[in-house]
Amino acid sequence: MKIEFFKHNVGAEEKQAVLAVLDSIFLTTGETVAQFEKDLANYLNIPYCIGLSHCTGALHLALLALDLKAGDEIITTPMTFVATSLVIAHIGAKPIWVDVEKDTGNLNTDLIEAAITSKTRAILPVHLYGQMCDMKAIRKIADKYGLVVIEDAAHALESERDGIRVGELSDVACFSFYATKSITSGEGGAIVTRSKRIADKLRLLRAHGINKEVLERYGQNYAHWDLVDLGWKYNMSNIQAALLLPQLKKIAVTWQRRKEIDLKYREAFQNMPKLYPNAKSAHHLSTVWVDPKKRDSVLQKLQNRGIGVAVNYRPIHLLSKFKELYKRESGSFPEAERIGNSTISLPLYPKLTKFELIYIIANLKQILE
Ligand SMILES: *Cc1c(COP(=O)(O)O)cnc(C)c1O
């Protein structure tokens, strides 16, 4: 028995789409990327979408496009993948972590105001496991203190809460199409925004800061272009977009299948993050909480029985480099640490078979007894 932790959904349609791009003249950022940006913007009902090479780049450009700078403080969560705070460190700003809600692992919005200082410029929530943070509360605090809001929506393409969708109340929202995300091009990312000014800046910054994108340059007689900003090389390619377009069309179906599996885990195990009422989770990760003293041995036993697992996440303030830089000790964020010490992520993807699901549940139950 070998049950993968994750299997992607790339099939015949995606292969066909990639072959069509390979047979075309244009492999990098061209019409296929433009089509994907249009479709994703339509899906999310947000006017502007910029296709990028990964969500780490999306988060990085988001900070730059919103004029965040060295010395600024950005309020965010320690219960996330490292990229969320890494980009803050890279621009010389400081991640100000606040603890998470004990039932969900999402940023505890009640703790935000106490963390605000004269240097605070932004709030960067992460919609953990596919459940949206309380964006109404976050927007309210941001407006009161004149802060910008950046959503790390890497887990949350399909999410809604209290009638709000991702991208709706923030300045920008960042998405990932990394290998284990709900739609994937192996590597890939995007930003959505309602501001044309920010969208224009992001387009410039994803392509070195050059004032004519390559698609504009193609098909016309050569014309000189200029470097007008210090940008990065974070553009999405047509090959990535071709992989994503068919998956985006099927997103409701793959979401439904993940939801069914997540609910089966929830029937079997009580100790899981709570689902919010009046919300739609993206059901990106199914995590169970076990006794912290036994967590690592449970991880080993599941793998010995052929079940792929992951840990999302050990709290990032205790990882060596962040610890060295920001000097937060264990005990600083008790809820994030408790979750980090007890969490196990189980296989959750549409290709997981009924038989595999039954095998996982039965084995985990047996191990926990
Ligand atoms: C996957 C992920 C990222 C990084 O995405 P990449 O596309 O791999 O750069 C950032 N934040 C969270 C919460 C993620 O899960």
Side-chain angles (χ1 to χ4, degrees), residues 53-59 79-84 126-129 152-155 174-181 186-190 284-285 312-313:
S53 48
H54 34 71
C55 182
T56 306
L59 290 161
M79 179 41 59
T80 180
F81 181 57
V82 291
T84 319
V126 177
H127 305 312
L128 194 68
Y129 310 145
D152 182 338
H155 297 182
C174 301
F175 297 92
S176 174
F177 312 117
Y178 175 66
T180 55
K181 300 305 203 290
E187 303 288 351
H284 173 60
L285 287 167
N312 305 95
Y313 299 92

Side-chain angles (χ1 to χ4, degrees), residues 140-257:
K140 211 166 155 190
I141 298 167
D143 288 346
K144 182 170 166 191
Y145 293 92
L147 313 175
V148 293
V149 179
I150 301 132
E151 289 173 272
D152 182 338
H155 297 182
L157 200 47
E158 301 97 333
S159 309
E160 295 177 25
R161 183 172 171 191
D162 303 325
I164 300 296
R165 292 181 70 187
V166 279
E168 202 171 327
L169 294 185
S170 59
D171 294 272
V172 297
C174 301
F175 297 92
S176 174
F177 312 117
Y178 175 66
T180 55
K181 300 305 203 290
S182 70
I183 66 172
T184 180
S185 43
E187 303 288 351
I191 300 190
V192 297
T193 178
R194 285 165 295 118
S195 158
K196 180 168 188 305
R197 183 184 59 80
I198 294 170
D200 289 345
K201 181 119 195 233
L202 288 166
R203 279 184 201 286
L204 195 64
L205 289 174
R206 79 167 170 185
H208 299 106
I210 290 172
N211 64 348
K212 276 198 175 102
E213 285 212 290
V214 63
L215 184 61
E216 291 173 66
R217 303 199 314 256
Y218 173 76
Q220 299 174 1
N221 284 339
Y222 176 83
H224 293 303
W225 45 263
D226 195 11
L227 182 76
V228 295
D229 206 341
L230 294 178
W232 295 78
K233 175 69 178 178
Y234 285 157
N235 53 311
M236 175 180 276
S237 78
N238 273 357
I239 300 170
Q240 290 168 303
L243 276 163
L244 293 167
L245 275 164
Q247 294 178 73
L248 185 56
K249 291 204 171 69
K250 294 177 279 196
I251 195 164
V253 178
T254 48
W255 170 81
Q256 181 65 33
R257 180 66 193 132

Side-chain angles (χ1 to χ4, degrees), residues 260-271:
E260 286 161 12
I261 296 167
D262 190 33
L263 294 184
K264 289 283 181 212
Y265 284 133
R266 289 171 179 280
E267 272 171 36
F269 306 108
Q270 265 65 58
N271 230 347

Side-chain angles (χ1 to χ4, degrees), residues 32-207:
T32 321
V33 172
Q35 186 63 51
F36 175 68
E37 291 172 340
K38 201 167 144 216
D39 286 12
L40 187 60
N42 278 340
Y43 171 72
L44 292 166
N45 199 23
I46 303 282
Y48 304 101
C49 173
I50 296 94
L52 299 168
S53 48
H54 34 71
C55 182
T56 306
L59 290 161
H60 186 190
L61 293 194
L63 302 184
L64 298 176
L66 293 168
D67 294 321
L68 294 163
K69 293 184 179 65
D72 291 347
E73 293 183 355
I74 300 177
I75 294 176
T76 187
T77 171
M79 179 41 59
T80 180
F81 181 57
V82 291
T84 319
S85 283
L86 199 51
V87 294
I88 298 174
H90 273 313
I91 66 159
K94 189 173 176 195
I96 302 297
W97 294 302
V98 300
D99 207 356
V100 298
E101 299 169 345
K102 76 180 203 316
D103 289 341
T104 65
N106 264 339
L107 192 63
N108 187 341
T109 53
D110 291 340
L111 304 177
I112 292 176
E113 283 200 75
I116 292 175
T117 72
S118 60
K119 291 181 182 166
T120 309
R121 294 285 174 273
I123 308 174
L124 203 179
V126 177
H127 305 312
L128 194 68
Y129 310 145
Q131 290 217 89
M132 270 176 85
C133 296
D134 187 346
M135 287 304 296
K136 286 184 177 170
I138 289 171
R139 186 74 257 176
K140 211 166 155 190
I141 298 167
D143 288 346
K144 182 170 166 191
Y145 293 92
L147 313 175
V148 293
V149 179
I150 301 132
E151 289 173 272
D152 182 338
H155 297 182
L157 200 47
E158 301 97 333
S159 309
E160 295 177 25
R161 183 172 171 191
D162 303 325
I164 300 296
R165 292 181 70 187
V166 279
E168 202 171 327
L169 294 185
S170 59
D171 294 272
V172 297
C174 301
F175 297 92
S176 174
F177 312 117
Y178 175 66
T180 55
K181 300 305 203 290
S182 70
I183 66 172
T184 180
S185 43
E187 303 288 351
I191 300 190
V192 297
T193 178
R194 285 165 295 118
S195 158
K196 180 168 188 305
R197 183 184 59 80
I198 294 170
D200 289 345
K201 181 119 195 233
L202 288 166
R203 279 184 201 286
L204 195 64
L205 289 174
R206 79 167 170 185

